[in-house]
Every structure is written in C-alpha cells, then in structure tokens.
Amino acid sequence: MLVADRLIAGGIMALALYFMVHAVELPIGWNGTTGGPGGGAFPFWLSAMMFACAAGILLRSFAADARASFHMDMSMLRSVLAVTGALVVTIALMPFAGAYVALPLFLFWYLRIFGGHRWVLVLPLTLLTPVFLFFFFEVTLRILLPKGLTEPLFFPLYAAFF
C-alpha cells in the first residue's frame, strides 16, 4: 500500500501543479476593479492546498511508522462504492435540481442515512451549507453555481445582492 500511496500522492501533486500553472493565467490576487479575488484565485489556492495535502501523504508514507500493512475488506469496499455512487447521483442531479438541492440531499444522505449521525448535527449542516455556499461562491467570489429548476427562487436574492 505504501507504493500505491506514493503513486497516488505523486499523481495528485502533478495534477495540482498542472492546475496551478493554468490558474495563474488569470489574476490570483485581489482584483481592485471588481472588488473581489481574481478569476484564478480560487483554483490556484485550492490546488495549492491539494498539493500540500498530497505532499503530506507522500511524506507520511516514508515515515517509519507507516510500515504497518493496510488491508481493505469487503465492508470498506462497500462503503467506498456507496459513497462513490451517491456522489455520482449528486453530480447527475446538479444540472436539473441545482447545486443548492443536490448538495444538501447528499449531505443528508451521508450524515443521517450512511453515517447515522444525530439530527442535531444533520439539520444545521444540511440547511446551513447551501446558505454558506451561496454567500461564498455567488456573493463573494461571484461564481454562479448551477441552479436548475430552482433558478427563479434566486431572483429576489440576486436583486438584493447584485
């Protein structure tokens, strides 16, 4: 598994570098004319964090205590396949239902049904995540997320914030 960790970490680091190189084609700093970050800021810094995380995995694979073996049993494989399937359904829902419906549905499924967490955790995360995403992407970064059938519900918010 250490070889697989190193190969995947190296691949992610190479992919992150590729994204960073293309992100700097747009301004990555604060854009004074639009009053927000440049178009390349989010992809650049997200790729930089991805690179740092992959570097951490790569370094950890060389640590002495990483010699322990890792074995994936059928229950782990079933869990990975269930989450992968849910993510595919979430992405397939986005053009029709919109990100603000698909993502909370995924969060609800993941937290309550798959994870078995309590309502005290599930409800705030499921309800507040779309609000945070709207203010982060659409109001702050001015990046529109797909809304699908829910687009008319956002017209009053557009009038208030833009």
Side-chain angles (χ1 to χ4, degrees), residues 124-146:
L125 279 177
T126 303
L127 296 176
L128 294 178
T129 297
V131 174
F132 170 78
L133 290 175
F134 176 79
F135 282 104
F136 182 72
F137 281 103
E138 305 218 10
V139 175
T140 304
L141 296 178
R142 298 179 193 259
I143 297 172
L144 299 178
L145 295 180

Side-chain angles (χ1 to χ4, degrees), residues 55-95:
I57 292 171
L58 184 64
L59 291 175
R60 192 181 66 183
S61 74
F62 288 109
D65 60 343
R67 302 275 181 236
S69 67
F70 175 78
H71 179 70
M72 180 178 271
D73 59 6
M74 284 306 291
S75 66
M76 290 175 70
L77 182 62
R78 222 175 286 126
S79 296
V80 169
L81 290 176
V83 172
T84 302
L87 284 172
V88 168
V89 169
T90 301
I91 292 169
L93 272 176
M94 279 193 192

Side-chain angles (χ1 to χ4, degrees), residues 139-158:
V139 175
T140 304
L141 296 178
R142 298 179 193 259
I143 297 172
L144 299 178
L145 295 180
K147 293 172 194 65
L149 299 172
T150 62
E151 177 85 32
L153 300 174
F154 287 85
F155 292 157
L157 293 173
Y158 293 154

Side-chain angles (χ1 to χ4, degrees), residues 15-131:
L15 191 62
L17 283 175
Y18 173 79
F19 290 149
M20 290 168 69
V21 165
H22 284 284
V24 296
E25 292 175 2
L26 297 171
I28 62 169
W30 195 260
N31 190 344
T33 57
T34 61
F42 186 67
F44 177 82
W45 292 110
L46 186 64
S47 299
M49 287 188 286
M50 192 167 75
F51 183 87
C53 291
I57 292 171
L58 184 64
L59 291 175
R60 192 181 66 183
S61 74
F62 288 109
D65 60 343
R67 302 275 181 236
S69 67
F70 175 78
H71 179 70
M72 180 178 271
D73 59 6
M74 284 306 291
S75 66
M76 290 175 70
L77 182 62
R78 222 175 286 126
S79 296
V80 169
L81 290 176
V83 172
T84 302
L87 284 172
V88 168
V89 169
T90 301
I91 292 169
L93 272 176
M94 279 193 192
F96 308 107
Y100 297 105
V101 172
L103 290 175
L105 286 176
F106 172 77
L107 279 175
F108 176 78
W109 174 84
Y110 186 77
L111 292 172
R112 182 67 189 158
I113 297 171
F114 184 74
H117 291 281
R118 299 174 63 177
W119 287 105
V120 173
L121 175 72
V122 172
L123 279 180
L125 279 177
T126 303
L127 296 176
L128 294 178
T129 297
V131 174

